[in-house]
Amino acid sequence: MRIIAVSTLKVFWTGKPEYRDAEKPVLAWYREVLRADWARPAGAKAQFGNASILRDGRAVFNIGGNKYRIVVWVNYPYRVVYIRFIGTHARYDAIDAQTI
């Protein structure tokens, strides 16, 4: 898979000292997604059992023991993952993952 807006991930863990612990789990997720080849949502769910598959190509991944969340939009035919949101579980609860 190709991941768009990787800089969003880096800005998150470098932006505030309290998020510095997100670097290793986020990079582990990133590397695993790079090696993936999801043709449909079931592929993402099979690889990441804790992922939540939403409508219209959206997916939510729990990172760092469910401390952080990454929301993506996936273009399955082209194998492209667009980062839409990364944040704490509390910040995730304040957004609409389907529209962000």
Side-chain angles (χ1 to χ4, degrees):
M1 303 297 287
R2 195 173 61 173
I3 302 172
I4 304 296
V6 174
S7 61
T8 302
L9 301 175
K10 186 174 181 182
V11 166
F12 177 72
W13 78 68
T14 60
K16 291 188 176 181
E18 61 264 31
Y19 301 150
R20 190 75 182 148
D21 66 330
E23 180 179 6
K24 286 184 181 179
V26 168
L27 285 175
W29 174 86
Y30 170 78
R31 289 181 190 114
E32 194 166 340
V33 173
L34 276 180
R35 292 188 302 268
D37 185 23
W38 305 329
R40 56 188 57 90
K45 184 68 174 175
Q47 187 169 358
F48 293 94
N50 66 353
S52 298
I53 306 300
L54 307 177
R55 297 183 319 268
D56 302 324
R58 299 282 179 141
V60 180
F61 297 91
N62 299 316
I63 306 295
N66 205 23
K67 185 174 180 181
Y68 303 107
R69 296 275 177 100
I70 297 176
V71 178
V72 301
W73 177 75
V74 184
N75 184 323
Y76 292 98
Y78 289 96
R79 310 301 200 271
V80 179
V81 175
Y82 297 89
I83 306 295
R84 303 298 300 152
F85 169 87
I86 181 170
T88 63
H89 194 95
R91 283 190 57 220
Y92 169 81
D93 287 342
I95 66 162
D96 179 359
Q98 194 62 57
T99 60
I100 195 163

